[in-house]
Amino acid sequence: MKNFRPLFLFVALLLLVGMACSALSGGGDTPSQPSQPEQPIQVETEAPPAVETEAPTAEPVQTEPPAPAASEQYFTEEFDQDPAWDYFLTAGDEDKITLTFEDSLAKFDIEDLDIYAYYMYEAQEYDNVRIDMRAENRGKNNNNVSLVCRASEKGWYEFSTEGGGLWYLYAVTINDSKEAVYKRIDKGGAQSLKQGKETNEYGMVCEDNEITLIINGKELKKINDKDYSFDSGYVGFNISSLNVTPIIVNVDWFKISEP
């Protein structure tokens, strides 16, 4: 049997010498793994506070100022408060009458004789018009409840009813002393008028030269007037005392409408 040990040692020596040379020369077929770059350090900072800004607004467009609202022509006044119409007397002591607005009523309380109190809507002038009113008598029966149309500085038409059941149509003119002068055009009886402490509805139509008088829905008369011919003006009503007191009348509503 042959001895291979010296040959084996010789080969091993050659291998060791080769590996040493390779290490010294930096040789090798497999490149080394490059080192990983360091991760950047992240510094936590607070976000700056949000700044609130107003959204830009459009420049206003220059326009003409709105015209004032026109006065209402046809309506029903229910006296929930004082509508601030024109209030005046043509006769009597102003200290002896009170006008208050309570419970949706215009309340007239007259404590003296011969007081003629008017409440007039002067925001509009009317030529042809119908006016109606509901009123309740709470005092003595001998009083006047009247409707007025075409009131101006020249005068007006007045449809007046007495609590006792009579009616009158007056042309009220204004004299040089600025006093009211009552000139009777016509008169008659009003069977449809409820007397005493009752509630009545009064109506008056002024159309051209014709005046129509109405109580509680019943037409009393049509009267044609060409002597005075008040052609246009304000509308309103009158509450008057005659020869007894107290006179207490509550006006529930006043209506202005087309004839």
Side-chain angles (χ1 to χ4, degrees):
M1 184 174 182
K2 293 182 178 180
N3 188 357
F4 293 98
R5 183 174 180 83
L7 178 61
F8 173 76
L9 291 173
F10 179 75
V11 173
L13 181 60
L14 290 176
L15 290 173
L16 288 172
V17 172
M19 291 175 63
C21 292
S22 175
L24 291 172
S25 63
D29 294 334
T30 305
S32 61
Q33 180 84 11
S35 60
Q36 295 292 328
E38 295 183 358
Q39 295 295 327
I41 299 175
Q42 296 183 357
V43 180
E44 294 183 3
T45 59
E46 294 184 359
V51 178
E52 296 184 1
T53 59
E54 295 184 357
T57 57
E59 290 295 327
V61 179
Q62 297 296 326
T63 59
E64 293 293 329
S71 301
E72 194 171 359
Q73 186 174 14
Y74 300 118
F75 64 96
T76 300
E77 175 56 57
E78 297 182 331
F79 303 110
D80 295 326
Q81 59 186 3
D82 184 357
W85 294 358
D86 189 34
Y87 171 66
F88 61 90
L89 272 60
T90 58
D93 185 349
E94 293 183 356
D95 295 332
K96 298 297 183 178
I97 177 174
T98 58
L99 170 58
T100 57
F101 296 86
E102 299 174 354
D103 305 321
S104 296
L105 297 169
K107 298 183 176 182
F108 290 77
D109 190 344
I110 303 176
E111 302 175 354
D112 201 4
L113 309 180
D114 297 319
I115 292 179
Y116 302 159
Y118 290 81
Y119 204 54
M120 304 293 295
Y121 179 63
E122 294 191 340
Q124 284 275 352
E125 292 190 12
Y126 301 87
D127 46 15
N128 294 337
V129 67
R130 172 168 178 157
I131 50 179
D132 294 90
M133 179 175 70
R134 177 189 291 165
E136 178 186 15
N137 178 39
R138 302 297 299 165
K140 297 290 186 178
N141 193 47
N142 199 22
N143 56 33
N144 268 2
V145 176
S146 305
L147 295 175
V148 174
C149 74
R150 296 179 179 172
S152 70
E153 60 183 10
K154 298 184 298 182
W156 59 81
Y157 290 114
E158 181 170 332
F159 166 41
S160 180
T161 61
E162 285 187 10
L166 296 176
W167 63 262
Y168 302 87
L169 178 63
Y170 294 103
V172 182
T173 59
I174 308 300
N175 63 19
D176 294 338
S177 300
K178 304 300 181 181
E179 297 172 334
V181 179
Y182 294 78
K183 301 179 179 180
R184 191 177 68 203
I185 298 175
D186 204 347
K187 71 173 184 177
Q191 295 182 354
S192 56
L193 180 72
K194 292 181 283 186
Q195 301 182 29
K197 294 183 178 181
E198 294 281 358
T199 299
N200 288 282
E201 293 186 8
Y202 309 84
M204 181 183 192
V205 180
C206 301
E207 188 169 16
D208 300 327
N209 293 325
E210 189 172 72
I211 311 297
T212 304
L213 313 178
I214 304 163
I215 293 181
N216 293 322
K218 303 293 184 181
E219 183 179 305
L220 302 180
K221 193 172 184 179
K222 291 183 183 291
I223 302 168
N224 195 288
D225 173 62
K226 294 183 180 179
D227 294 331
Y228 300 96
S229 297
F230 301 123
D231 52 5
S232 67
Y234 309 124
V235 297
F237 61 92
N238 156 274
I239 306 296
S240 300
S241 65
L242 298 176
N243 55 6
V244 294
T245 59
I247 299 300
I248 303 171
V249 176
N250 295 338
V251 180
D252 188 5
W253 48 257
F254 182 85
K255 181 178 179 181
I256 307 172
S257 59
E258 294 182 278

